[in-house]
Amino acid sequence: PRLGLGFQLPTVISPMLGEGCFGHYGAGGRLGFACPELGVAFAYVSARFWPDHAQPDPRVAALVTALRESLGAPAPAQETHTP
């Protein structure tokens, strides 16, 4: 993962809301992050495990997309750093 002062940073597989965000991904698709520039924090936990670490959990991806759209934030650039 891409790290910054102990936190994970956005990657192509897990872009959060884009550069400037930081957080941490947990096992099985869990995620918590903050985006100070947008004034928002997000957390997701689930009782069901997402086993494919090469692909983002579609449940989290849908929620982050909905959050991004509700904030009117642009989609992260495709060139976000690789994991």
Side-chain angles (χ1 to χ4, degrees), residues 23 50 63 66:
W50 178 253
L63 290 169

Side-chain angles (χ1 to χ4, degrees), residues 50-83:
W50 178 253
D52 186 357
H53 296 290
Q55 298 295 320
D57 183 333
R59 303 167 296 180
V60 176
L63 290 169
V64 172
T65 297
L67 175 60
R68 177 183 302 112
E69 290 172 356
S70 72
L71 294 169
Q78 291 298 326
E79 62 271 1
T80 300
H81 301 276
T82 55

Side-chain angles (χ1 to χ4, degrees), residues 6 8 15 21-22 26 29-30 34 47 54-55:
Q8 292 177 333
C21 295
F22 62 92
R30 282 65 171 170
Q55 298 295 320

